[in-house]
Amino acid sequence: MSGVIDTDGVCAEWSFPAEPGAVRTARHAVRDTLRSWGLDPLIGDITVLLVSELVTNSLRYASGPIGVRLIRRKPGESIPLLLVEVSDPLPDPPTERVAAPDDEGGRGLQLVAGTARRWGTRRGSTGKTVWFELALTG
């Protein structure tokens, strides 16, 4: 894991080099944070899966650092949810496609779209961010 920026219980943020081990390291960082926030039993598996898919996409198409950020909305702030963001230096938004049954890839954004409460992309000053929200209610 590289560059833990903030882990104050409301936000955790990391920057991973664009290297093959980044996916595994991101999964562990996200799982550990969700566990420390008491959210692992509720949304741990799906969050780790979706982060893994998005970091893999970043590795496949971008060559710079990959950012991952988790933001937990505090109780009383609208709907309790977890906002997850994965950023990379490539400005082009990802393309959602329908994968054939025997395709090796192409399901990451389908998983995000089918699982998340909401999701989207936004351009930054350098690159883009793909984000999704997961509800923290049963």
Side-chain angles (χ1 to χ4, degrees):
M1 175 173 34
S2 169
V4 174
I5 297 166
D6 185 0
T7 56
D8 67 1
V10 174
C11 179
E13 186 170 348
W14 305 269
S15 179
F16 303 100
E19 299 171 352
V23 177
R24 182 183 66 246
T25 307
R27 280 195 306 257
H28 287 294
V30 168
R31 176 75 72 187
D32 290 347
T33 299
L34 293 176
R35 193 173 288 131
S36 74
W37 289 351
L39 298 177
D40 190 41
L42 183 63
I43 59 167
D45 290 341
I46 194 62
T47 305
V48 168
L49 172 65
L50 297 180
V51 166
S52 189
E53 291 291 334
L54 294 178
V55 170
T56 298
N57 283 351
S58 290
L59 272 176
R60 183 170 291 143
Y61 301 108
S63 59
I66 300 164
V68 176
R69 181 162 60 167
L70 307 178
I71 301 170
R72 179 182 181 183
R73 279 204 184 150
K74 294 179 184 177
E77 285 185 24
S78 183
I79 298 169
L81 59 82
L82 180 72
L83 172 64
V84 179
E85 299 175 331
V86 176
S87 303
D88 64 50
L90 187 68
D92 303 325
T95 303
E96 188 177 0
R97 67 180 181 95
V98 177
D102 56 348
D103 284 351
E104 292 285 326
R107 293 180 180 79
L109 289 178
Q110 285 180 317
L111 286 169
V112 171
T115 306
R117 180 178 173 271
R118 293 184 323 148
W119 78 279
T121 63
R122 69 175 181 274
R123 283 190 170 196
S125 57
T126 59
K128 66 158 173 324
T129 298
V130 179
W131 60 269
F132 62 89
E133 296 176 342
L134 296 173
L136 298 178
T137 56

